[in-house]
Amino acid sequence: MADGFPDDADGHALRRIARTGSDLSKPMFVNFQVAVPDAASANALAAVARELGYRASVYDDSSECSLPWTCECSTRMLATYESVIAIQNELAEIAKPFGGIPDGWGTFGNGPTGQPPVR
């Protein structure tokens, strides 16, 4: 934890993002995936996520996830360990009524190979 991130999957992901040139002190879009059992549940979850300010999209993801549909919830944020955990927890709570579970997150960052820095 010398760099301030715990030794877990989220900490490792944040290290990779920083190592590839993103500035973690500046906002970037982060995409959180929530696996859900069917299209209707995915669309209902997307509607709730949009009300909370997320950009939400739905797609069939039967080849990748344990549940066949994904609701991707994206937000512009500072990618800190605490904020990533907080959003995953929030999405876990709102996904419960729809049979959904968080299924990872990612970002193209804001570095030279990702999104341009947000000023």
Side-chain angles (χ1 to χ4, degrees):
M1 203 164 118
D3 56 11
F5 298 124
D7 189 21
D8 63 12
D10 296 306
H12 295 306
L14 289 164
R15 278 185 204 87
R16 280 191 305 275
I17 293 163
R19 216 174 27 244
T20 58
S22 289
D23 182 346
L24 297 182
S25 72
K26 296 187 190 247
M28 64 187 75
F29 279 98
V30 180
N31 310 307
F32 295 86
Q33 291 75 37
V34 180
V36 289
D38 54 57
S41 296
N43 285 308
L45 175 57
V48 172
R50 286 183 192 109
E51 288 177 14
L52 294 173
Y54 293 97
R55 291 182 181 181
S57 59
V58 170
Y59 53 92
D60 180 344
D61 203 16
S62 54
S63 66
E64 296 290 324
C65 298
S66 58
L67 295 172
W69 285 84
T70 294
C71 176
E72 184 171 275
C73 303
S74 303
T75 189
R76 184 172 170 254
M77 61 185 280
L78 289 178
T80 67
Y81 184 83
E82 294 77 15
S83 64
V84 166
I85 297 300
I87 289 176
Q88 290 181 99
N89 289 338
E90 177 178 62
L91 293 173
E93 279 302 309
I94 67 169
K96 278 182 191 176
F98 306 105
I101 54 170
D103 198 39
W105 63 273
T107 181
F108 290 105
N110 59 16
T113 60
Q115 299 168 334
V118 179
R119 297 192 185 347

